[in-house]
Amino acid sequence: MFKTLCKLPTAHEDSVWAVCWSHNEQDDDVISGSVDGLVRTWRWNPQTNTLDSKFKLEGHRMGIVSVDIDFSGKVAVSSSLDSHIRLWDLENAKLLRTIDAGPVNSWSVAFSPDGRFVATGSGTGDINVYATEDGKLQTPLATRGQFLLTVAFSPNGKLLASGGNDGLINLFEVSTGKLLHKVEAHNMPIRQLAFSPDSQTLLSASDDNLIKAYDATHAHIAATLSGHTSRVLAVAWSPDNHHFASASSDKTVKVWNLNARQCLHTFDEHSDQVWSVCFDRSGKRLVSAADDGAIHVHECPF
């Protein structure tokens, strides 16, 4: 039975734009980023179905745009409107490194699967990749496009995708930096991209209210899914490789079965647009974050 397990109505003092659930087997941590400039960490308690506050990570001077957690579950990354990327030690709540990305040169951030790099999209249409060890900028990947709102590594580490204001998807080969495919995916901005756990399918969420699925190898479209009544702001895969969730400006979170091309359930308990969603490592729970300042945890009976 689909149900909402937990609501934190005032998780932050302002809109929550980003949330991520660690897939580390030892920890069951959630991190969130808000317009209030804070990155917060939470521990999921399955006995009480609550998110218990752990740490407040301070340092950004403006709102948090994006967060991610590396494969170890011990390091987090955040990007902010202050044009800085920060790496955090989640075990000790300490700042590890600050990267000055420059004006409008950092938006969405994503760890590479091995945790050695962080990628971010820029206002110039380049994908900037930084080494986590020393913060050094690697050779930028040029899309020759517009502002990039989202970047995503494939779980097998072979592909890096970007999407932005021009509605195009760019697929790069990580080992060579070669642009493999440029896809005219949407006629409005792409808000988020997400690779399936097996790296075979790429989802895109767009301001045109649509979600599209592509064969990641050949960039052929596999499905177009409609159901949201406003901009689709986020998509996230379940670890089972068959289900995914989407979040929208229509204030809802939807859970889908891609194989059946079907929406299984709609959560409508946020009071403002929902910016971010993420499954836990079991795929049984889903966290969502919204402009209402709230974080919700939902149960998904897959």
Side-chain angles (χ1 to χ4, degrees):
M1 179 179 178
F2 290 95
K3 61 181 178 181
T4 299
L5 299 173
C6 168
K7 294 182 183 180
L8 284 177
T10 54
H12 286 268
E13 296 179 358
D14 209 326
S15 302
V16 189
W17 281 359
V19 70
C20 185
W21 206 316
S22 172
H23 284 187
N24 177 275
E25 292 184 1
Q26 283 73 43
D27 300 318
D28 216 357
D29 290 348
V30 171
I31 64 170
S32 57
S34 168
V35 176
D36 65 13
L38 287 178
V39 177
R40 297 196 64 175
T41 69
W42 314 82
R43 173 61 56 84
W44 174 250
N45 187 329
Q47 279 71 46
T48 58
N49 284 339
T50 56
L51 276 177
D52 302 327
S53 179
K54 288 182 65 180
F55 305 120
K56 292 181 180 180
L57 305 178
E58 300 179 276
H60 284 294
R61 298 188 303 275
M62 297 179 71
I64 311 301
V65 174
S66 177
V67 295
D68 196 14
I69 302 176
D70 78 345
F71 73 100
S72 73
K74 297 178 180 180
V75 180
V77 63
S78 57
S79 62
S80 167
L81 294 172
D82 65 13
S83 300
H84 287 77
I85 297 169
R86 295 180 186 267
L87 293 165
W88 307 91
D89 175 349
L90 291 181
E91 292 184 307
N92 301 298
K94 292 183 178 179
L95 177 66
L96 295 174
R97 187 173 307 284
T98 299
I99 300 169
D100 184 354
V104 299
N105 275 335
S106 173
W107 199 252
S108 165
V109 285
F111 275 111
S112 62
D114 60 10
R116 294 175 56 226
F117 301 98
V118 168
T120 185
S122 75
T124 59
D126 290 344
I127 302 174
N128 292 325
V129 180
Y130 297 91
T132 55
E133 183 177 3
D134 56 17
K136 289 185 178 179
L137 176 65
Q138 311 300 294
T139 302
L141 303 176
T143 70
R144 295 180 176 83
Q146 298 178 14
F147 197 113
L148 296 182
L149 297 171
T150 177
V151 291
F153 282 97
S154 61
N156 63 11
K158 295 181 179 180
L159 299 174
L160 177 56
S162 70
N165 280 345
D166 53 15
L168 300 177
I169 295 174
N170 301 279
L171 273 170
F172 288 89
E173 184 176 52
V174 171
S175 62
T176 64
K178 179 183 177 182
L179 178 62
L180 300 176
H181 302 287
K182 184 181 287 285
V183 183
E184 295 182 5
H186 297 269
N187 58 15
M188 296 184 74
I190 296 172
R191 292 287 172 171
Q192 191 166 29
L193 297 171
F195 281 96
S196 58
D198 66 2
S199 301
Q200 298 303 303
T201 305
L202 179 66
L203 292 175
S204 60
S206 173
D207 283 5
D208 61 10
N209 305 358
L210 297 176
I211 303 160
K212 293 188 178 183
Y214 289 88
D215 163 23
T217 302
H218 305 289
H220 296 153
I221 190 164
T224 299
L225 302 168
S226 61
H228 284 294
T229 58
S230 187
R231 300 180 300 162
V232 188
L233 300 176
V235 282
W237 283 92
S238 163
D240 69 9
N241 211 71
H242 302 299
H243 299 91
F244 70 90
S246 58
S248 170
S249 290
D250 65 14
K251 308 177 188 178
T252 71
V253 173
K254 291 182 179 289
V255 180
W256 306 78
N257 182 317
L258 182 58
N259 293 339
R261 311 293 196 263
Q262 180 182 7
C263 177
L264 302 179
H265 187 78
T266 299
F267 295 102
D268 59 359
E269 297 175 58
H270 281 289
S271 61
D272 210 332
Q273 57 187 357
V274 188
W275 279 101
S276 187
V277 285
C278 187
F279 281 95
D280 75 345
R281 65 179 179 273
S282 74
K284 304 294 185 185
R285 288 177 292 272
L286 174 71
V287 64
S288 60
D291 263 349
D292 56 13
I295 296 174
H296 294 176
V297 176
H298 315 279
E299 185 172 63
C300 300
F302 300 145

